Amino acid sequence: MSDVAKEYAAGLAAGVATVIIGHPFDTVKVKLQKHNTEAHGVKYKNALHCTARILSSEGVRGLYRGATPSFVGMAFESSLLFGFYSQMKQSLQGEVHSSRPQLQVIIPSAACGGAIISFVLCPSELVKCRMQLQGTDTAITKYERYVGPLDCALKTLKSGGIKGIFRGGFTTLLRESIGNAVFFSTYEFSRHYLHLRLESTSRYLNPESKLLIDVGVGIVTGGLAGMAFWATVFPLDVAKTIIQTSPASRSTSNPFLTLNSIYRRVGLNGCYAGLGPTLVRAFPANAAAIVTWELTAKLLGVKRE
């Protein structure tokens, strides 16, 4: 297996780890974004109230509703993102020689990777969000019922065509391009700083201890990078959820008009509805992704700085 293929395989493993850890938090986030931005209707007091309501009406399975398209989408998306980022970074670094991470290398590599994966994420997240919203809560009856993810995708294609399944695509592209530039910048600089601080200590440790240090660094850097991602682009994610779960015939697909409408209805809090569970999810989910990515790459024999 070539190093290129190994990078894409490591990214795929990272995506699976992200969904396993993060999907329940994502389900809560989507419900808060949709229902707590409406002028009237079902409201959740907070993330705990939303979680308790899901568990009482649907059980643990409810927290993983919509996980199938997430597994498919995130596995493919992470493979593309991490693989493309690694390859483009190596290509650009051929012209830039420095012991420190270089923003002129990281930002274009991450932003281009984010733009590419948005075409995979948009339809998979649209299906995921619609599946997450329907649930089995008897108080929520105005959303179309789907038998499963495939049924949701087919009905969306039938009613809206290709344009319908890619509804929210521009917002997804903006979120992923900006967010991943922030994500990988935070990851690379925090990783560089921590390894510098630990360099004098790690040289005297055995391989098992060094592995534990690498895992610890991956947890911290991945967690911080994930939180930085969502803190930066969260309003765009709120807009994306509203756009993808609203009937196309009577709503705009412009994220800025959507956010303006939310702000006028429920204020600034509406633009950050669901931020709590998202930040709680961001640390463990992205820590798992980075640790899985780094360890899988190491097991496959990929050499990194």
Side-chain angles (χ1 to χ4, degrees):
M1 186 185 286
S2 67
D3 279 354
V4 175
K6 290 174 182 177
E7 289 284 9
Y8 283 96
L12 188 148
V16 172
T18 302
V19 177
I20 292 172
I21 301 296
H23 192 81
F25 297 97
D26 187 69
T27 298
V28 174
K29 178 204 75 171
V30 168
K31 286 182 178 288
L32 286 170
Q33 286 178 338
K34 181 61 178 177
H35 300 304
N36 282 21
T37 57
E38 296 175 331
H40 305 287
V42 176
K43 290 287 193 299
Y44 298 108
K45 297 175 183 177
N46 49 47
L48 288 176
H49 176 230
C50 182
T51 304
R53 190 160 183 169
I54 295 170
L55 289 172
S56 65
S57 61
E58 305 174 59
V60 174
R61 184 178 179 181
L63 292 172
Y64 280 92
R65 189 171 294 279
T68 301
S70 281
F71 272 114
V72 175
M74 280 298 295
F76 188 34
E77 170 261 319
S78 290
S79 179
L80 281 177
L81 175 63
F82 285 101
F84 183 88
Y85 171 75
S86 298
Q87 294 306 305
M88 186 170 177
K89 192 178 85 163
Q90 287 179 14
S91 177
L92 293 177
Q93 279 180 334
E95 305 170 8
V96 181
H97 301 282
S98 175
S99 59
R100 288 175 54 83
Q102 298 294 304
L103 286 176
Q104 64 266 41
V105 170
I106 298 168
I107 290 178
S109 300
C112 288
I116 289 171
I117 65 168
S118 68
F119 292 96
V120 177
L121 273 177
C122 181
S124 68
E125 288 200 358
L126 181 143
V127 173
K128 171 188 70 70
C129 288
R130 293 185 177 187
M131 290 297 297
Q132 286 172 319
L133 276 181
Q134 68 173 19
T136 58
D137 195 328
T138 55
I140 304 169
T141 58
K142 61 182 177 179
Y143 301 106
E144 184 172 1
R145 309 294 300 181
Y146 303 109
V147 176
L150 181 60
D151 181 52
C152 178
L154 291 175
K155 284 182 177 177
T156 302
L157 281 168
K158 185 177 180 180
S159 62
I162 296 297
K163 185 178 179 181
I165 202 72
F166 278 94
R167 183 168 172 78
F170 174 64
T171 311
T172 307
L173 187 147
L174 282 180
R175 185 195 69 179
E176 291 302 310
S177 298
I178 298 169
N180 279 295
V182 172
F183 177 90
F184 281 105
S185 297
T186 304
Y187 163 70
E188 296 283 9
F189 277 94
S190 59
R191 179 175 180 268
H192 176 75
Y193 174 78
L194 287 175
H195 277 297
L196 278 182
R197 299 284 293 180
L198 296 169
E199 185 178 14
S200 59
T201 303
S202 61
R203 68 180 62 178
Y204 301 109
L205 299 175
N206 57 42
E208 291 77 13
S209 298
K210 287 182 179 179
L211 179 62
L212 287 175
I213 287 179
D214 287 343
V215 170
V217 169
I219 290 172
V220 173
T221 57
L224 290 176
M227 294 181 77
F229 177 108
W230 287 109
T232 303
V233 299
F234 195 77
L236 285 172
D237 188 66
V238 174
K240 183 196 71 67
T241 297
I242 302 304
I243 291 167
Q244 291 187 326
T245 57
S246 299
S249 59
R250 49 192 179 87
S251 62
T252 178
S253 60
N254 184 313
F256 305 108
L257 291 178
T258 301
L259 287 173
N260 182 55
S261 176
I262 293 170
Y263 179 76
R264 285 189 284 105
R265 283 200 308 270
V266 292
L268 187 61
N269 286 342
C271 298
Y272 287 89
L275 180 62
T278 301
L279 291 180
V280 171
R281 175 197 67 169
F283 196 98
N286 287 281
I290 289 296
V291 170
T292 303
W293 178 49
E294 291 181 344
L295 291 183
T296 303
K298 184 174 290 188
L299 287 171
L300 293 174
V302 177
K303 294 183 179 180
R304 293 198 178 125
E305 297 176 2

